[in-house]
Structure formats: C-alpha cells, structure tokens
Amino acid sequence: MTLTQLSYIVAVDRYRHFATAAEKSYVTQPTLSMQIHKLEDELDITIFDRSKSPVIPTEIGEKIIAEAKKMLKQEKHIEDLASLRDEELRGTFRIGIIPTIAPYLLPLFLRNFREKYPDVRLIFEEVITDDVLDLLDQDHLDIGVIATPADRGNIFEEDLYYEPFLGYVSEDHPLAKKEEISVDDLTGSDLWLLNEGHCFRDQTVQLCKKFRKNQLDEQRIEFESGNLATLKQLVEQNFGMTLLPYLAKNQIDAQCAKAHLRHFSDPVPRRKVRVVYSREYLKTNVIQAFKKEVMNVIPQELTQPDEGLLVE
C-alpha cells in the first residue's frame, strides 16, 4: 500500500470519474486504474462500483477512502513541518481563487513571487467560493482567495484589499454620456450578470436590492454567463452593460475599447478581497509571503478600509 495509491482513490471519489481523476492527478488513466486495482487486490476488496455512472464507492470503499483522507492529511502536515525547518521557503502551495479575481490579480504578482521564492511550487485552482471553502475543509488547498465572508468556524480570514466595482457600458448606452454612474443608474433589463454561484453576481444583486430605490428585477435579466470575459465582449458588441472588478481595468485599452469604463460616484460600492485558510499553525511563512507580494502590487487606494460602500 502506498500514499500514491491512496491519493488516487481519493481523487476518484472526489471526481467520480477515472479519466478526470487521472487528469487531476497528472497521470494517465491506465496508470491510475492499475494502481487502484493493485490496492484492491492487496486488500482483497472492491473499493469502487464500476458498473455505476458516475462510479461510486462500495460500502467498504467509503470506509477505506475516509481513512485514506486522514492519512494523506497527516502526510501534508509532515511536509508542512519540514518546509518550516529554516527561513528559506520551499514546498508545494495550493491556492484556490475565484474566477472574478484570478485573471486580474495573478498577472500582477506571480512573476515577482516566482523570482523571489523559486523553491515554492504554486498550484492554482480557479473555482467558485463554495468550492474553495469545501476544498479547504478537505485539505486539498492551503489557502483560498475570495471576496465574501467565509462564515465557517474552522476557516481563518485575513483581509487583503478593498476592490471597487466599475461599470462597463456599451457605446450607445445612455450611461455612456455620464462621467460617473451611481447605484440608482442600474436597471435589470440590460445589466448582464454572471451565473448563480458566483459571488460577484450575488454582490451585484445585493447592491441593487439594498441600495437602489427601484429594486433590481432579476426576472428581467436577459443574459447570464459563467465568466466576465463573455459579458465584457457582449458590451463591446454594443449590448447593454455589466459590472467589473476594479483590477479588470488593467486589461482594457481605453484607446481601443469599443465600450466605456465608468467609475461610481460616492459612496463607491466595493468588495473586500481576503485570504482564507484552515490550518492556522502550518505554512504561515508562505501565507505571509503570499500576502506581502500581493499587497506590493495593489494600488494604495484599494487598501483603505473606511472608504466606500462595502458589499458583502
């Protein structure tokens, strides 16, 4: 029995699909399947019912997988302790980051972090907030970067920065004529939203419902998407408007854009971006290094906690 075999059965249990589990484990499917078969032969049991689609653990398989998770968690703790043996940072650091932060934040600090800490291997997973928290619970991630409160007793939070919302409006949109927009300018008929499950969508709806006199009617939303890039392209094709996080403006060429960025007037709505983690006593040196490199690239105006209208 090996830790690698145990990691493979945990991966299959998580994804309920051998090919996906192999892909996520960075091995071929035949290799993963062979190792699981060897483990089953050694224990003289069947861990997965392969007749089901998706595959599911057998009754004894569920118990084996539960123990495997405990053993793998202890392995990670040993690795973490070893990484603290001196002041030089090293080892693997797994980060979950939500899709409305990842494409805008990572390009800003990643190169500097890699150059400063070459022995730290960063692995990113771009997933929605609930999945970040679940993966932290499962010890699959070391930290997460999210924009809403964790609200879980075993999760620790540290604030990073406060990110304003921006309006992104099409050329012919009435708001294109305004230098600044306000929350009262938002309507449901032409405001494109992300799909349910994305906190940025929830915050947009909350912003409208809590602070607009005329409530946003979600039934009037005509288009939803799984990513902001699609919504941005719709606006650039002269359809409606959407909201973007402040750091997204770094990837918009104002001279060539076929749409217009509009800042909000005071009080400016914004979200709080934070780092979350579950093992407070391990990898604290890497967590603090990660925070430091992020804060080194964040504009000063995004670090003030008492300015603007916080939307949680």
Side-chain angles (χ1 to χ4, degrees):
M1 185 188 307
T2 67
L3 290 172
T4 298
Q5 290 172 326
L6 298 183
S7 71
Y8 290 166
I9 65 173
V10 169
V12 173
D13 178 59
R14 178 184 173 197
Y15 297 106
R16 300 299 169 101
H17 192 270
F18 277 82
T20 304
E23 178 185 353
K24 297 296 184 179
S25 302
Y26 306 103
V27 295
T28 63
Q29 183 177 344
T31 297
L32 179 138
S33 296
M34 178 187 68
Q35 289 297 324
I36 292 178
H37 273 299
K38 287 179 65 175
L39 179 61
E40 289 177 320
D41 289 342
E42 179 182 347
L43 299 176
D44 194 24
I45 60 171
T46 299
I47 297 175
F48 293 103
D49 184 349
R50 295 163 175 80
S51 68
K52 306 291 185 180
S53 183
V55 296
I56 60 173
T58 61
E59 183 176 352
I60 186 61
E62 289 182 349
K63 297 177 181 179
I64 297 295
I65 292 167
E67 292 301 315
K69 289 178 179 178
K70 294 177 184 178
M71 296 177 70
L72 291 172
K73 188 169 187 176
Q74 289 302 314
E75 179 209 11
K76 286 185 179 180
H77 283 198
I78 292 173
E79 290 178 350
D80 291 347
L81 289 170
S83 72
L84 298 173
R85 66 184 181 274
D86 53 35
E87 293 185 358
E88 183 179 353
L89 300 187
R90 65 183 72 230
T92 300
F93 195 54
R94 297 175 174 82
I95 304 165
I97 185 166
I98 62 175
T100 58
I101 294 178
Y104 313 119
L105 177 61
L106 296 188
L108 297 181
F109 83 94
L110 189 55
R111 182 181 299 276
N112 290 341
F113 188 95
R114 292 287 299 275
E115 290 176 353
K116 190 172 292 186
Y117 307 106
D119 294 327
V120 177
R121 181 191 178 206
L122 297 177
I123 298 178
F124 292 96
E125 290 206 25
E126 189 173 320
V127 290
I128 63 175
T129 303
D130 284 346
D131 290 341
V132 169
L133 299 177
D134 287 343
L135 292 174
L136 283 173
D137 282 340
Q138 298 165 19
D139 217 39
H140 182 77
L141 295 175
D142 293 304
I143 67 167
V145 181
I146 62 177
T148 51
D151 290 333
R152 298 195 187 187
N154 63 323
I155 300 295
F156 300 89
E157 299 184 17
E158 294 189 30
D159 297 345
L160 288 175
Y161 57 92
Y162 297 82
E163 185 170 35
F165 291 78
L166 296 174
Y168 197 54
V169 301
S170 56
E171 287 186 323
D172 292 339
H173 197 283
L175 295 182
K177 300 175 182 178
K178 301 184 67 171
E179 292 296 323
E180 292 183 330
I181 62 175
S182 71
V183 175
D184 281 336
D185 290 323
L186 303 179
T187 63
S189 59
D190 60 356
L191 177 61
W192 311 140
L193 295 180
L194 289 170
N195 293 339
E196 291 186 5
H198 291 271
C199 64
F200 197 77
R201 172 212 169 91
D202 297 337
Q203 289 168 329
T204 300
V205 173
Q206 178 188 345
L207 177 67
C208 297
K209 287 185 173 180
K210 186 173 182 179
F211 302 108
R212 261 186 106 250
K213 295 177 182 178
N214 299 316
Q215 302 284 303
L216 174 67
D217 183 0
E218 292 185 70
Q219 300 302 317
R220 297 173 61 196
I221 301 299
E222 296 180 7
F223 187 84
E224 299 179 2
S225 175
N227 63 78
L228 283 176
T230 301
L231 302 182
K232 177 175 169 290
Q233 290 171 7
L234 269 177
V235 175
E236 291 170 352
Q237 294 299 315
N238 212 17
F239 291 104
M241 68 170 293
T242 192
L243 297 186
L244 297 176
Y246 184 89
L247 292 183
K249 74 175 189 175
N250 294 333
Q251 299 180 11
I252 296 176
D253 187 337
Q255 301 299 321
C256 301
K258 297 179 179 179
H260 304 281
L261 278 173
R262 290 293 179 263
H263 291 261
F264 279 86
S265 57
D266 290 333
V268 177
R270 58 190 189 143
R271 62 181 183 170
K272 180 164 65 174
V273 177
R274 64 264 279 175
V275 60
V276 292
Y277 52 95
S278 61
R279 299 201 305 277
E280 185 181 29
Y281 57 98
L282 294 177
K283 291 196 176 179
T284 54
N285 53 353
V286 186
I287 292 172
Q288 295 309 313
F290 177 85
K291 281 187 59 180
K292 180 179 178 181
E293 294 307 312
V294 168
M295 296 310 297
N296 282 343
V297 299
I298 293 300
Q300 182 65 29
E301 62 267 25
L302 271 61
T303 63
Q304 305 303 315
D306 298 326
E307 298 180 2
L309 181 66
L310 186 61
V311 183
E312 292 276 66

